[in-house]
Amino acid sequence: MEIKNKKLFLGGVSAESLVKEFGSPLYVYEKETILKKAEELEKAITYPNKKMLYACKANTNASIMKILKEKGIGLDVVSVGELLLALKLGFKAEDILFTATMATDEELKKVIENKVLVNMDSLSEMERFGKLNKGGKCSVRINPEFGAGFHGHVVTGGPDSKFGIYHTDVEKIKKIAEKYDLNVVGVHMHVGSRYLNPDQFYKAMEILLNTAKQFDTLEFVDFGGGIGVVYSPDETMFELNAYGKKVNDIFSKFVKEYGKEVTLMFENGRWYVAESGFLLMTVNTLKETPKLKFAGVDSGMHHMARPALYGAYHEIINASNADGDKEKIVIAGNICESTDLFTRDMDGPVERELPKIKEGDILSLGCAGAYGYTMSSNYNIRERPAEVLVENGKASLIRKRETFDYLNENQII
Ligand code: LLP
């Protein structure tokens, strides 16, 4: 991302020309940023026997998944849909982990049939899996009591969380494993998403590793995803190399005590893709109340739900006038819901100081590469945008814009 002569450029291409060529609104991803993030994490995690997975729920665009595949990264999938796409793209079964929640027997059968490892999210799932796959392998997702994340909605550890099997239930896990002759080859945790302070994570790591010691057939320990990304100027991120070193120290000590080599795994999603993505949209309406000035755009919470859902902050740049005189303004989406604002917190609208906006200007919403398109919907019968990958001044279409006919072809009337 770069600003030249007051205009925003993505991967060397001007945002205005991208919208001219591919239409508005538009998701744009910079390939170079994805590669850079993958390399940074690869370098920081120094434990030699490691395997990195990408939690593709963050962004399941096939071209983006392929970029990460070429970097030797495997996948964490959470549904049969994600699994089938992964296999279609050539990810090997042994490089995929299936970590669904509330999986049905039908889903489990599909995963077993494709020889992909299932990560047990409950004792119920393990019992049902045992019946379907006697003598098979599995891993177990442990709830290590501690959670971490940017918002209560994305914390996935602790007694309030629906995820995993509580770490105090090891005896119950072992009983089911014995009953169906299951080989528990991995233990796993995912404590939450976008932690910007790793203290709770380290605590959870220790609990998971204590749990791990109670199994003698382990091939891997997976510490989940959740490594933070800075979205707003008020935030700071922990130092990744120091984190990698601490993880290495804790894990090396465990392996020594365990007495045999175990693979260290991570499955980050946001880390790889968030900063690469931008949602470009066009301002079509300026309007005011006695209190606020609004710039209305041709996109909304159906394309990027995070502000409406979590009050999440995303940087907004006026791509047509990136460093003009500033004014306070609220950016509003085109969905018929008052929550549909791109500048808001959990309590409602928050004015943003932005270079003066005119109707027809292109706005860019940053950090849109993770949990943007994947969480989009057709609410209000509106089409999802196209997606474009940019690199070295070249842009390629990686997903077509949806059409009205496509949205309605399955209705029976
Ligand atoms: N592994 C498991 C089992 C997960 O449930 C998740 C995310 C990840 C890995 C990847 O987490 P990440 O590295 O991306 O933080 N919609 C929310 C985020 C929900 C995350 C759900 N699970 C958001 O927009 O912030």
Side-chain angles (χ1 to χ4, degrees), residues 55 57 76 99 141 150 154 188 190 193-194 225-227 267-270 306 310 371 375:
K57 63 174 78 66
D76 174 63
T99 307
R141 175 173 183 170
F150 72 95
V154 296
H188 164 282
H190 171 72
S193 200
R194 200 167 88 85
I227 295 181
E267 51 182 48
N268 286 280
R270 185 191 318 268
R306 300 190 75 259
Y310 315 118
Y371 307 108
M375 286 175 39

Side-chain angles (χ1 to χ4, degrees), residues 302-375:
H302 55 317
H303 296 158
M304 165 48 83
R306 300 190 75 259
L309 206 53
Y310 315 118
Y313 180 101
H314 283 257
E315 182 181 47
I316 292 175
I317 294 174
N318 184 346
S320 307
N321 176 27
D323 41 39
D325 292 341
K326 292 193 172 160
E327 64 177 342
K328 281 189 177 164
I329 196 150
V330 172
I331 310 298
N334 59 359
I335 289 292
C336 292
E337 289 253 3
S338 38
T339 188
D340 183 27
L341 304 170
F342 284 126
T343 53
R344 54 164 300 142
D345 59 17
M346 283 314 270
D347 299 324
V350 174
E351 293 170 294
R352 190 78 64 87
E353 226 173 289
L354 290 172
K356 257 203 158 49
I357 293 175
K358 304 184 304 306
E359 290 179 4
D361 280 355
I362 310 294
L363 302 187
S364 156
L365 180 133
C367 258
Y371 307 108
Y373 193 99
T374 47
M375 286 175 39

Side-chain angles (χ1 to χ4, degrees), residues 52-119:
M52 300 301 211
L53 306 182
Y54 164 54
C56 68
K57 63 174 78 66
N59 190 320
T60 37
N61 184 289
S63 303
I64 287 176
M65 287 166 69
K66 273 161 71 182
I67 294 172
L68 291 165
K69 178 171 169 284
E70 276 156 32
K71 295 299 282 178
I73 296 170
L75 282 189
D76 174 63
V77 301
V78 293
S79 68
V80 169
E82 287 186 358
L83 171 68
L84 295 180
L85 176 59
L87 294 169
K88 201 168 170 176
L89 296 177
F91 283 91
K92 290 199 206 107
E94 64 263 30
D95 292 336
I96 305 173
L97 181 64
F98 183 83
T99 307
T101 184
M102 315 307 170
T104 64
D105 288 6
E106 285 316 303
E107 288 169 324
L108 291 176
K109 277 185 207 159
K110 258 274 176 289
V111 188
I112 295 164
E113 188 184 298
N114 282 293
K115 302 190 169 34
V116 163
L117 193 69
V118 180
N119 195 18

Side-chain angles (χ1 to χ4, degrees), residues 81-302:
E82 287 186 358
L83 171 68
L84 295 180
L85 176 59
L87 294 169
K88 201 168 170 176
L89 296 177
F91 283 91
K92 290 199 206 107
E94 64 263 30
D95 292 336
I96 305 173
L97 181 64
F98 183 83
T99 307
T101 184
M102 315 307 170
T104 64
D105 288 6
E106 285 316 303
E107 288 169 324
L108 291 176
K109 277 185 207 159
K110 258 274 176 289
V111 188
I112 295 164
E113 188 184 298
N114 282 293
K115 302 190 169 34
V116 163
L117 193 69
V118 180
N119 195 18
M120 300 299 148
D121 187 53
S122 64
L123 295 170
S124 153
E125 181 180 354
M126 191 164 174
E127 183 83 37
R128 292 182 283 117
F129 176 85
K131 283 185 193 144
L132 294 169
N133 197 26
K134 275 201 184 84
K137 280 185 184 179
C138 69
S139 65
V140 284
R141 175 173 183 170
I142 300 292
N143 177 338
E145 201 169 317
F146 289 97
F150 72 95
H151 189 289
H153 293 170
V154 296
V155 172
T156 48
D160 285 339
S161 171
K162 69 170 179 165
F163 295 102
I165 304 174
Y166 223 72
H167 68 103
T168 44
D169 277 340
V170 170
E171 281 318 310
K172 293 182 187 155
I173 296 172
K174 286 187 160 177
K175 235 184 178 156
I176 301 174
E178 203 175 308
K179 184 166 161 196
Y180 298 104
D181 191 23
L182 295 175
N183 199 4
V184 178
V185 295
V187 290
H188 164 282
M189 71 176 196
H190 171 72
V191 291
S193 200
R194 200 167 88 85
Y195 54 85
L196 294 169
N197 175 338
D199 291 347
Q200 295 290 98
F201 172 83
Y202 297 141
K203 275 193 204 160
M205 250 188 111
E206 299 281 7
I207 293 190
L208 184 68
L209 291 173
N210 278 333
T211 309
K213 283 180 199 150
Q214 301 173 57
F215 294 92
D216 50 17
T217 48
L218 294 186
E219 292 168 12
F220 71 86
V221 176
D222 182 338
F223 294 107
I227 295 181
V229 165
V230 164
Y231 281 54
S232 101
D234 304 335
E235 295 169 340
T236 49
M237 171 59 183
F238 56 84
E239 217 274 297
L240 195 69
N241 291 327
Y243 167 89
K245 185 176 174 317
K246 174 124 182 174
V247 166
N248 178 54
D249 292 349
I250 298 175
F251 196 68
S252 303
K253 185 168 159 270
F254 159 76
V255 170
K256 215 176 239 169
E257 288 164 12
Y258 193 66
K260 65 176 180 218
E261 199 42 77
V262 179
T263 304
L264 166 76
M265 278 171 42
F266 271 105
E267 51 182 48
N268 286 280
R270 185 191 318 268
W271 172 265
Y272 292 106
V273 290
E275 289 156 89
S276 75
F278 300 82
L279 175 59
L280 301 182
M281 44 210 177
T282 307
V283 178
N284 55 50
T285 305
L286 292 175
K287 61 191 288 186
E288 286 177 44
T289 68
K291 191 172 160 198
L292 298 172
K293 181 166 184 187
F294 293 92
V297 294
D298 58 356
S299 180
M301 60 190 282
H302 55 317

